[in-house]
Amino acid sequence: MNDTQPLVRLVKLVANLGYGSQKDARYMIQDGRLTAPDGTPYDVDAKVRHDDVRLDGEPLDPAQGVVLMLNKPAGYTCSTKDPGRLIYQLLPDRFARRNPIIATVGRLDRDTTGLLLLTDDGAFLHKIISPRSNVPKIYEVTLARPLQGNEAEIFAAGSLILNSETEVLAPAVLDVLGPKHARVTVTEGRYHQVRRMFAAVGNHVETLHRPQVGGLTLGDLPSGQWRALNPAEIASLFV
Ligand code: URA
């Protein structure tokens, strides 16, 4: 038994994970679908720990306090109600009914690909987006025009001001990977930041991919797929 998880009413646990209403959860219990790991059916008023529940013999979705990583494909918007394809369509439908909700940690543009974090953990969200955390976000960029050679210096200076902004950008690191190909590491998350940084030096971003946030990389997670992070992976975001 997992003693570190709180004891909660089974019907509430199942409803908050988005499997249905509390009434639906009662039907699942009556039908013997919600059991202990050894298959013993639970009563309608059972209090349980998340890890001690099976639905149709399978573990439940990750408990509250989850951090997910999604390998975002191009063409999906980080929003709950834009016209067009939404990143939530890449997650199980019931995730949209969870309480608390699972929200994205910042956003990637519709045509940006790569590592997107999602969480229902307010404290984690606050910690990772706080400027004090200084979490590096790494982007791979392909450009419309060849690099001129002065971009690394301009980005590193900490004096660049983006169009229509008044505050200077924090220093960013540019590594040249090819004539029109670079890796950029930023610690902020301003609107369209990387695209606007290259616009500020007279270039245009054609493709933008984020392979890494902090010490966490996408690894072999295929495009369009997601998985929950384990505690060591969550900690690696901050190193
Ligand atoms: N910078 C951008 O311009 N777009 C993104 O999606 C992320 C960073």
Side-chain angles (χ1 to χ4, degrees), residues 146-157:
L147 290 156
Q148 291 171 343
N150 58 351
E151 293 87 350
E153 200 183 327
I154 295 172
F155 291 171

Side-chain angles (χ1 to χ4, degrees), residues 14-20 50 59-64 66-70 80 87-104 118-120 225-229:
V14 168
N16 282 350
L17 290 175
Y19 287 98
H50 172 279
L60 296 176
D61 287 337
Q64 184 190 340
V66 70
V67 181
L68 310 177
M69 111 169 140
L70 170 72
T80 49
I87 53 111
Y88 291 99
Q89 292 165 348
L90 300 166
L91 306 174
D93 284 351
R94 60 182 175 271
F95 276 28
R97 297 189 294 270
R98 281 175 66 125
N99 176 23
I101 59 161
I102 295 183
T104 64
L118 298 108
T119 189
D120 61 359
Q225 301 293 305
W226 64 276
R227 67 176 176 82
L229 300 182

Side-chain angles (χ1 to χ4, degrees), residues 107-109 112 139 192-195 208:
R107 289 179 174 208
L108 292 177
D109 301 336
T112 302
Y139 294 91
H192 292 332
Q193 179 167 338
V194 176
R195 294 177 201 274
L208 189 57

